[in-house]
Amino acid sequence: METILAKPDENSLKLAGQLLRAGELVAIPTETVYGLASNALDGKAVEKIFKAKGRPMDNPLIVHISDISQVYDLVREFPEKARKLAETFWPGAITIIMPCSDKVPKEVTAGLDTVAIRFPSHTVAQQIINSAGIPLSAPSANLSGSPSPTSALHVYNDLQGKIPLIIDGGESEVGVESTVISVAGDIPTLLRPGGITVEQIENVIGKIHIDKGVVEQIDSHTVVASPGMKYKHYSPKADIIIVKCDGDEYIDYINALKNREHIGALCYDEDREKLCVPYVSLGKKKDYLMQAHHLFNALRQLDEMNLHTVYARCPKKEGVGLAVYNRLIRSAGFEVIEID
Ligand code: TXA
Ligand code: MG
């Protein structure tokens, strides 16, 4: 199959809508990461997503809408706290899990009785949902296991030949996937940290629970609240090892390695001049938004550098830093060295 890579204009948006209505896949830009979209109400179309990505069928998808009123068709109940979150943060980088209606095919929910819904703020994403005239199920548009795509080129590199159309809406601004919160149970629970922080959410609906899987490794036998938590994620070719320390011990540790061949660093801007190995920087030490914005591109850049081990700075678990930590710890397979 030939893959068309097109800038958003009247023709390409119209084509995207036609393909989606016909049950085909289209990669779309969003403010978090690129999504691989299909008609969320057509189980056969949804199945194609899992095939193209190589994604396990038991990992449910997020349904994307372009107006809050579209929630009602997709849910059995729109809980008060969900409504407050939607009114405050949508359109934007938060996905809300609610009890699902029987209109949502089991391919989307992986058989769960809940559905994840998001209203993206990227105008091109909204235009494509409107052009299709249907809600769109979309996971990140990467091959399963590799870093999520934050540019159309990342999508092209992963999925060329497998999908008919990629709409290039520029670099994703947030750079990590949406915050996922479930309000389907009694206590609102954070399942994945993202661009909207715990503090922002608690300001609107009060105290929330943070699922254990957000910062800890879940073994493959545990039943998890969000199936995505248990899969290997964001893994570049080199082994990533996180180095946990406060100051320059990170630099001393790397520079003191006896054999520095094929060793690299994923560091902060402040470290660059002191390191004597090849590096990619995530941005300034305290600028969590910039670190999130750069993370997945940095992981893909490291792939080009022919490294076998990359030592990464350990992000702070606060604000959007929690989202960076959550992704990086998975890309490192939870391997952390602590230095005092
Ligand atoms: O920013 C984003 O959320 C991007 C863009 C494209 O919107 N999408 C995205 O989708 O990251 P995906 O499929 O890569 O991640 C969805 C996550 C998975 O971890 C999945 O397990 C979880 O949400 N999820 C989806 N539906 C769920 C449900 N009903 N209950 C629990 N977890 C759910
Ligand atoms: Mg993903």
Side-chain angles (χ1 to χ4, degrees):
M1 179 187 300
E2 197 206 336
T3 301
I4 302 169
L5 185 56
K7 296 265 189 239
D9 59 25
E10 206 183 323
N11 287 334
S12 65
L13 293 174
K14 194 169 154 206
L15 176 62
Q18 282 166 349
L19 284 167
L20 288 161
R21 276 196 304 281
E24 297 299 333
L25 305 184
V26 177
I28 67 170
T30 89
E31 71 281 14
T32 56
V33 301
Y34 275 68
L36 181 58
S38 75
N39 178 353
L41 304 177
D42 172 356
K44 284 265 171 309
V46 176
E47 239 176 48
K48 290 184 184 170
I49 290 179
F50 291 87
K51 279 220 182 78
K53 275 187 62 112
R55 178 178 173 111
M57 287 293 292
D58 69 349
N59 194 2
L61 304 177
I62 295 169
V63 178
H64 296 69
I65 58 174
S66 55
D67 193 289
I68 293 189
S69 64
Q70 291 163 341
V71 166
Y72 292 94
D73 249 7
L74 303 168
V75 301
R76 284 198 305 282
E77 188 198 336
F78 194 175
E80 176 65 21
K81 286 186 175 163
R83 205 187 327 255
K84 278 194 181 156
L85 290 173
E87 279 163 7
T88 310
F89 298 116
W90 280 355
I94 187 166
T95 294
I96 308 173
I97 295 179
M98 300 179 242
C100 76
S101 76
D102 52 16
K103 286 215 177 117
V104 186
K106 64 178 187 321
E107 288 82 358
V108 170
T109 62
L112 300 172
D113 72 345
T114 52
V115 60
I117 305 178
R118 181 162 104 80
F119 176 177
S121 65
H122 199 300
T123 46
V124 176
Q126 295 175 4
Q127 285 167 338
I128 294 171
I129 301 167
N130 290 337
S131 167
I134 35 176
L136 301 178
S137 46
S140 49
N142 51 291
L143 287 175
S144 205
S146 70
S148 296
T150 54
S151 73
L153 192 62
H154 294 164
V155 180
Y156 190 79
N157 289 339
D158 272 17
L159 297 175
Q160 88 188 88
K162 295 185 168 181
I163 59 174
L165 179 63
I166 301 169
I167 301 289
D168 180 355
E171 251 182 51
S172 297
E173 199 186 321
V174 179
V176 292
E177 307 89 337
S178 61
T179 302
V180 177
I181 183 163
S182 173
V183 292
D186 292 338
I187 305 165
T189 301
L190 182 82
L191 300 178
R192 183 174 73 183
I196 304 291
T197 65
V198 172
E199 296 81 352
Q200 284 175 291
I201 294 171
E202 290 189 334
N203 278 338
V204 177
I205 58 167
K207 198 82 190 138
I208 62 169
H209 174 68
I210 298 180
D211 194 277
K212 216 170 112 208
V214 167
V215 289
E216 282 175 37
Q217 186 166 23
I218 303 287
D219 72 62
S220 57
H221 307 294
T222 310
V223 177
V224 290
S226 185
M229 281 177 180
K230 69 183 179 200
Y231 292 110
K232 193 167 161 69
H233 259 103
Y234 319 118
S235 49
K237 291 180 193 132
D239 282 338
I240 305 252
I241 298 174
I242 292 181
V243 181
K244 205 170 176 181
C245 63
D246 281 337
D248 279 354
E249 298 90 340
Y250 168 78
I251 292 152
D252 300 339
Y253 179 86
I254 294 173
N255 289 349
L257 291 169
K258 283 210 185 70
N259 181 1
R260 291 194 300 268
E261 220 182 314
H262 303 294
I263 298 288
L266 181 58
C267 64
Y268 298 137
D269 284 357
E270 292 85 343
D271 305 323
R272 289 180 300 188
E273 296 198 331
K274 301 179 211 156
L275 281 166
C276 57
V277 296
Y279 60 77
V280 176
S281 175
L282 286 176
K284 290 221 169 65
K285 188 173 182 175
K286 299 243 163 80
D287 189 346
Y288 305 137
L289 286 176
M290 196 47 80
Q291 292 167 24
H293 177 77
H294 283 147
L295 178 67
F296 290 137
N297 191 47
L299 293 177
R300 284 179 186 255
Q301 269 177 281
L302 290 166
D303 268 354
E304 314 278 291
M305 291 165 62
N306 188 29
L307 303 168
H308 69 63
T309 307
V310 172
Y311 292 94
R313 275 284 197 185
C314 185
K316 282 259 179 315
K317 290 180 248 176
E318 57 189 33
V320 176
L322 182 64
V324 180
Y325 180 84
N326 169 276
R327 307 310 188 274
L328 200 53
I329 192 99
R330 282 171 168 73
S331 76
F334 291 86
E335 206 176 332
V336 180
I337 298 174
E338 289 199 45
I339 307 175
D340 285 326

Short mmCIF file of all heavy atoms in Angstrom, two decimals, residues 257-279:
data_model
loop_
_atom_site.label_atom_id
_atom_site.label_comp_id
_atom_site.label_asym_id
_atom_site.label_seq_id
_atom_site.Cartn_x
_atom_site.Cartn_y
_atom_site.Cartn_z
N LEU A 257 33.42 5.81 33.73
CA LEU A 257 33.29 4.45 33.17
C LEU A 257 34.57 4.09 32.42
O LEU A 257 35.10 4.91 31.67
CB LEU A 257 32.08 4.39 32.21
CG LEU A 257 30.69 4.51 32.85
CD1 LEU A 257 29.64 4.70 31.76
CD2 LEU A 257 30.37 3.27 33.68
N LYS A 258 35.05 2.86 32.63
CA LYS A 258 36.34 2.48 32.01
C LYS A 258 36.22 2.39 30.50
O LYS A 258 37.02 2.90 29.75
CB LYS A 258 36.79 1.12 32.57
CG LYS A 258 37.36 1.28 33.96
CD LYS A 258 38.42 0.21 34.23
CE LYS A 258 38.89 0.33 35.66
NZ LYS A 258 37.83 -0.09 36.62
N ASN A 259 35.14 1.73 30.06
CA ASN A 259 34.95 1.60 28.62
C ASN A 259 33.76 2.44 28.20
O ASN A 259 32.62 2.12 28.52
CB ASN A 259 34.72 0.11 28.29
CG ASN A 259 34.55 -0.09 26.80
OD1 ASN A 259 34.62 0.87 26.02
ND2 ASN A 259 34.35 -1.33 26.40
N ARG A 260 34.04 3.54 27.48
CA ARG A 260 32.94 4.43 27.11
C ARG A 260 32.55 4.28 25.64
O ARG A 260 31.84 5.09 25.08
CB ARG A 260 33.31 5.87 27.43
CG ARG A 260 33.39 6.13 28.94
CD ARG A 260 33.42 7.61 29.25
NE ARG A 260 34.57 8.25 28.64
CZ ARG A 260 35.75 8.41 29.23
NH1 ARG A 260 35.92 8.00 30.47
NH2 ARG A 260 36.74 8.99 28.59
N GLU A 261 33.00 3.19 25.03
CA GLU A 261 32.62 2.95 23.64
C GLU A 261 31.14 2.60 23.57
O GLU A 261 30.66 1.80 24.38
CB GLU A 261 33.45 1.78 23.10
CG GLU A 261 33.91 2.01 21.67
CD GLU A 261 34.68 0.80 21.18
OE1 GLU A 261 35.56 0.32 21.94
OE2 GLU A 261 34.38 0.34 20.09
N HIS A 262 30.41 3.19 22.63
CA HIS A 262 28.97 2.95 22.45
C HIS A 262 28.14 3.29 23.68
O HIS A 262 27.07 2.74 23.88
CB HIS A 262 28.71 1.51 22.01
CG HIS A 262 29.42 1.13 20.75
ND1 HIS A 262 29.13 1.71 19.55
CD2 HIS A 262 30.42 0.25 20.53
CE1 HIS A 262 29.91 1.20 18.62
NE2 HIS A 262 30.71 0.33 19.19
N ILE A 263 28.69 4.18 24.53
CA ILE A 263 27.92 4.66 25.68
C ILE A 263 27.41 6.05 25.35
O ILE A 263 28.13 6.85 24.74
CB ILE A 263 28.84 4.75 26.94
CG1 ILE A 263 29.38 3.38 27.31
CG2 ILE A 263 28.10 5.43 28.10
CD1 ILE A 263 28.39 2.44 27.90
N GLY A 264 26.16 6.36 25.74
CA GLY A 264 25.62 7.69 25.50
C GLY A 264 24.89 8.20 26.72
O GLY A 264 24.71 7.47 27.70
N ALA A 265 24.46 9.46 26.65
CA ALA A 265 23.75 10.06 27.79
C ALA A 265 22.47 10.74 27.33
O ALA A 265 22.42 11.33 26.25
CB ALA A 265 24.65 11.09 28.47
N LEU A 266 21.43 10.62 28.15
CA LEU A 266 20.19 11.38 27.96
C LEU A 266 20.16 12.34 29.15
O LEU A 266 19.87 11.95 30.28
CB LEU A 266 18.99 10.44 27.96
CG LEU A 266 17.63 11.08 27.72
CD1 LEU A 266 17.58 11.83 26.40
CD2 LEU A 266 16.51 10.02 27.75
N CYS A 267 20.52 13.60 28.87
CA CYS A 267 20.87 14.50 29.97
C CYS A 267 20.04 15.79 29.94
O CYS A 267 19.10 15.91 29.17
CB CYS A 267 22.35 14.84 29.87
SG CYS A 267 22.76 15.74 28.36
N TYR A 268 20.39 16.73 30.79
CA TYR A 268 19.80 18.08 30.77
C TYR A 268 20.79 19.05 30.12
O TYR A 268 21.99 18.77 30.07
CB TYR A 268 19.50 18.54 32.20
CG TYR A 268 18.50 17.68 32.94
CD1 TYR A 268 18.71 17.33 34.27
CD2 TYR A 268 17.34 17.23 32.30
CE1 TYR A 268 17.78 16.55 34.95
CE2 TYR A 268 16.43 16.45 32.98
CZ TYR A 268 16.65 16.11 34.30
OH TYR A 268 15.74 15.34 34.96
N ASP A 269 20.29 20.20 29.70
CA ASP A 269 21.16 21.20 29.06
C ASP A 269 22.37 21.52 29.93
O ASP A 269 23.48 21.68 29.43
CB ASP A 269 20.37 22.51 28.82
CG ASP A 269 19.42 22.38 27.64
OD1 ASP A 269 19.41 21.32 26.99
OD2 ASP A 269 18.66 23.35 27.38
N GLU A 270 22.15 21.59 31.25
CA GLU A 270 23.22 21.99 32.18
C GLU A 270 24.38 20.97 32.19
O GLU A 270 25.48 21.31 32.63
CB GLU A 270 22.68 22.13 33.60
CG GLU A 270 21.71 23.30 33.81
CD GLU A 270 20.26 22.98 33.44
OE1 GLU A 270 20.02 21.98 32.73
OE2 GLU A 270 19.37 23.74 33.86
N ASP A 271 24.13 19.72 31.75
CA ASP A 271 25.15 18.68 31.82
C ASP A 271 26.05 18.64 30.58
O ASP A 271 27.13 18.03 30.60
CB ASP A 271 24.50 17.28 31.90
CG ASP A 271 23.53 17.17 33.06
OD1 ASP A 271 23.81 17.74 34.11
OD2 ASP A 271 22.48 16.48 32.88
N ARG A 272 25.58 19.27 29.49
CA ARG A 272 26.17 18.98 28.19
C ARG A 272 27.67 19.18 28.11
O ARG A 272 28.39 18.32 27.59
CB ARG A 272 25.47 19.81 27.10
CG ARG A 272 24.06 19.33 26.85
CD ARG A 272 23.38 20.14 25.79
NE ARG A 272 23.29 21.55 26.17
CZ ARG A 272 22.61 22.46 25.51
NH1 ARG A 272 21.96 22.12 24.43
NH2 ARG A 272 22.58 23.70 25.91
N GLU A 273 28.14 20.31 28.64
CA GLU A 273 29.57 20.62 28.45
C GLU A 273 30.46 19.75 29.31
O GLU A 273 31.65 19.65 29.04
CB GLU A 273 29.80 22.09 28.77
CG GLU A 273 29.05 22.94 27.77
CD GLU A 273 29.53 24.36 27.72
OE1 GLU A 273 30.02 24.84 28.76
OE2 GLU A 273 29.39 24.96 26.65
N LYS A 274 29.89 19.13 30.32
CA LYS A 274 30.73 18.35 31.25
C LYS A 274 30.85 16.87 30.85
O LYS A 274 31.71 16.16 31.34
CB LYS A 274 30.13 18.43 32.66
CG LYS A 274 30.02 19.87 33.18
CD LYS A 274 29.39 19.88 34.57
CE LYS A 274 28.60 21.15 34.80
NZ LYS A 274 27.56 21.00 35.80
N LEU A 275 29.98 16.42 29.98
CA LEU A 275 29.97 14.99 29.64
C LEU A 275 31.00 14.66 28.58
O LEU A 275 31.16 15.41 27.61
CB LEU A 275 28.59 14.60 29.11
CG LEU A 275 27.49 14.38 30.14
CD1 LEU A 275 26.13 14.34 29.44
CD2 LEU A 275 27.72 13.08 30.92
N CYS A 276 31.70 13.52 28.74
CA CYS A 276 32.64 13.16 27.66
C CYS A 276 32.14 11.94 26.88
O CYS A 276 32.93 11.12 26.43
CB CYS A 276 34.05 13.01 28.20
SG CYS A 276 34.21 11.83 29.50
N VAL A 277 30.82 11.81 26.73
CA VAL A 277 30.24 10.80 25.82
C VAL A 277 29.20 11.52 24.96
O VAL A 277 28.75 12.61 25.31
CB VAL A 277 29.55 9.66 26.61
CG1 VAL A 277 30.54 8.88 27.45
CG2 VAL A 277 28.39 10.18 27.46
N PRO A 278 28.80 10.91 23.82
CA PRO A 278 27.73 11.53 23.01
C PRO A 278 26.44 11.63 23.82
O PRO A 278 26.17 10.75 24.65
CB PRO A 278 27.54 10.55 21.86
CG PRO A 278 28.66 9.59 21.90
CD PRO A 278 29.27 9.64 23.25
N TYR A 279 25.66 12.68 23.59
CA TYR A 279 24.46 12.87 24.41
C TYR A 279 23.32 13.43 23.58
O TYR A 279 23.52 13.98 22.50
CB TYR A 279 24.75 13.83 25.58
CG TYR A 279 25.21 15.19 25.10
CD1 TYR A 279 24.29 16.12 24.59
CD2 TYR A 279 26.56 15.53 25.11
CE1 TYR A 279 24.71 17.34 24.13
CE2 TYR A 279 26.99 16.76 24.63
CZ TYR A 279 26.06 17.66 24.14
OH TYR A 279 26.47 18.87 23.66
#
